């Protein structure tokens, strides 16, 4: 399916257009691909790149695009207008635009007589999950990461680590992909964590290193003392689209109780601790997660699920 090709193009270019969303577009005319494109860093949107590659062959063609063409004047003119002007006959949209300032491209295309299909693929929404939450909810997309034993404990007596080497490397890769990493005051005081990305590529530089605590914390972490909702709004205003939460059970429970966790990453190690704190402190009500997946990471198993789907 050609929409899958557009998704693959965007996957290969992941992060290139940051802080804009990553978008892929494919133009098909007379049964063959006549133009492809992805959003450029600080430049053209995917639709424009694909249309320019297609040239006159875009007239009467079908465009497959992972995100609804924008309908507003931002850093570039509206992509919906360019699609109409190029004479594209049909557009298949992988996901709608959650940005209230840019949405409306589907309606504009249909009003101009373009046949539009909204496929609404989860994979297309997932591809820009942090950006979608940032523009729609005005807060960062929050991922809670924790490593536990088979009996749900976050510590093993006599051992510094719960998870294996491969899992710990993956955590550093995750840190390199987010805008900020955070722990709670208790974890910061007890463990003095660095929270930086080590021994992995960091094309966007190191993440901001935060601690949510009402009291002073030793070390170099940036302390955020206000209510969680207010701090997340402030961080979003500072351009933080994604936050990896590595705090202990108390901070995890506080974020979940405030409904501020979007995704959970649970590394389960092949060990039984028998004692110690659990991954999350007591909650007043349960939470139902969706899209549960599991995969091996070295000797561990990584469970991934959403509290809020993108």
């Amino acid at each position: 399916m050609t929409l899958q090709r557009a998704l693959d193009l965007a996957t290969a270019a992941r992060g290139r257009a940051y802080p804009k969303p990553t978008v892929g577009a494919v133009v098909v005319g007379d049964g063959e691909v006549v133009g492809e494109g992805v959003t450029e860093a600080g430049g053209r949107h995917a639709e424009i790149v694909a249309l320019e590659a297609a040239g006159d062959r875009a007239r009467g063609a079908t465009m497959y695009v992972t995100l609804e063409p924008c309908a507003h004047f931002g850093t570039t003119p509206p992509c919906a207008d360019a699609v109409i002007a190029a004479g594209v006959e049909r557009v298949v949209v992988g996901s709608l635009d959650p940005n209230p300032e840019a949405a409306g491209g589907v309606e504009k295309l249909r009003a101009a007589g373009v046949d539009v299909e909204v496929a609404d693929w989860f994979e297309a929404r997932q591809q820009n999950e942090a950006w979608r939450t940032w523009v729609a909810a005005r807060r960062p997309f929050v991922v809670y990461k924790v490593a536990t034993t088979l009996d749900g404990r976050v510590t093993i007596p006599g051992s510094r680590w719960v998870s294996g080497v491969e899992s710990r490397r993956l955590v550093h890769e995750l840190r390199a992909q987010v805008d900020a990493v955070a722990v709670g005051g208790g974890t910061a005081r007890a463990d003095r964590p660095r929270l930086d990305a080590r021994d992995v590529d960091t094309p966007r530089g190191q993440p901001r290193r935060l601690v949510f605590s009402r009291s002073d914390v030793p070390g170099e972490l940036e302390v955020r003392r206000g209510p969680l909702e207010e701090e997340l709004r402030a961080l979003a205003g500072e351009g933080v689209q994604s936050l990896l939460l590595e705090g202990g059970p108390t901070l995890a429970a506080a974020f979940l109780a405030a409904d501020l966790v979007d995704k959970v990453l649970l590394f389960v190690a092949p060990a039984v601790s028998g004692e110690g704190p659990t991954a999350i402190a007591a909650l007043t009500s349960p939470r139902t997660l969706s899209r549960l997946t599991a995969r091996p990471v070295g000797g561990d198993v990584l469970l991934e699920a959403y509290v809020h789907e993108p």
Side-chain angles (χ1 to χ4, degrees):
M1 183 179 291
T2 313
L3 185 55
Q4 183 62 53
R5 172 59 182 168
L7 194 69
D8 292 343
L9 288 171
T11 299
R14 178 177 178 176
R16 179 187 300 174
Y18 177 85
K20 292 181 179 179
T22 300
V23 181
V26 176
V27 179
V28 176
D30 298 324
E32 64 176 315
V33 174
V34 296
E36 295 182 336
V38 293
T39 304
E40 298 174 335
R44 300 172 298 170
H45 288 189
E47 300 95 317
I48 306 303
V49 177
L51 288 173
E52 291 184 3
D56 293 339
R57 299 187 70 181
R59 188 160 300 280
T62 296
M63 171 178 282
Y64 298 85
V65 60
T66 57
L67 180 66
E68 175 184 13
C70 62
H72 81 313
F73 282 87
T75 56
T76 67
C79 290
D81 289 352
V83 173
I84 294 167
V88 172
E89 187 173 280
R90 181 169 179 261
V91 176
V92 179
V93 175
S95 61
L96 292 175
D97 194 332
N99 185 356
E101 296 180 357
V106 166
E107 288 78 6
K108 178 175 281 193
L109 291 170
R110 285 173 173 164
V114 179
D115 179 21
V116 180
E117 175 188 345
V118 179
D120 192 26
W121 279 15
F122 169 73
E123 294 80 4
R125 288 183 277 117
Q126 182 185 42
Q127 196 165 63
N128 292 300
E129 58 191 10
W131 173 82
R132 295 181 70 89
T133 297
W134 182 64
V135 298
R138 302 300 181 186
R139 65 167 177 80
F141 181 83
V142 177
V143 179
Y144 173 51
K145 182 279 303 179
V146 64
T148 74
T149 59
L150 288 173
D151 55 340
R153 309 291 181 172
V154 296
T155 59
I156 298 177
S159 176
R160 179 182 178 186
W161 307 108
V162 173
S163 58
V165 173
E166 295 87 349
S167 294
R168 297 200 297 274
R169 178 177 174 81
L170 180 54
V171 170
H172 284 281
E173 293 175 356
L174 291 169
R175 290 176 179 176
Q177 296 168 8
V178 299
D179 295 320
V181 183
V183 294
T187 298
R189 282 183 283 270
D191 299 339
R192 300 292 291 270
R194 290 169 56 179
L195 302 185
D196 56 349
R198 301 188 294 278
D199 301 320
V200 296
D201 292 335
T202 55
R204 285 162 47 181
Q206 290 290 341
R208 287 175 63 173
R209 300 173 301 142
L210 314 176
V211 54
F212 291 97
S213 175
R214 295 187 183 279
S215 57
D216 291 336
V217 175
E220 299 178 354
L221 302 182
E222 176 185 340
V223 181
R224 311 293 297 207
R225 291 185 169 83
L228 295 180
E229 295 90 339
E230 293 182 10
E231 291 292 357
L232 290 190
R233 281 196 299 271
L235 287 169
E238 296 164 8
V240 175
Q241 295 186 11
S242 51
L243 171 66
L244 181 62
L245 189 66
E246 298 191 20
T250 302
L251 186 64
F255 267 79
L256 283 165
D259 200 25
L260 295 174
V261 174
D262 299 292
K263 182 194 287 187
V264 175
L265 301 181
L266 178 64
F267 293 88
V268 182
V272 175
S273 176
E275 63 180 64
T278 57
I280 300 170
L283 295 172
T284 57
S285 61
R287 295 289 183 273
T288 300
L289 280 64
S290 63
R291 304 276 182 178
L292 176 64
T293 61
R295 64 182 174 97
V297 180
D300 305 326
V301 173
L302 172 58
L303 303 178
E304 179 176 337
Y306 285 87
V307 182
H308 304 123
E309 288 192 20

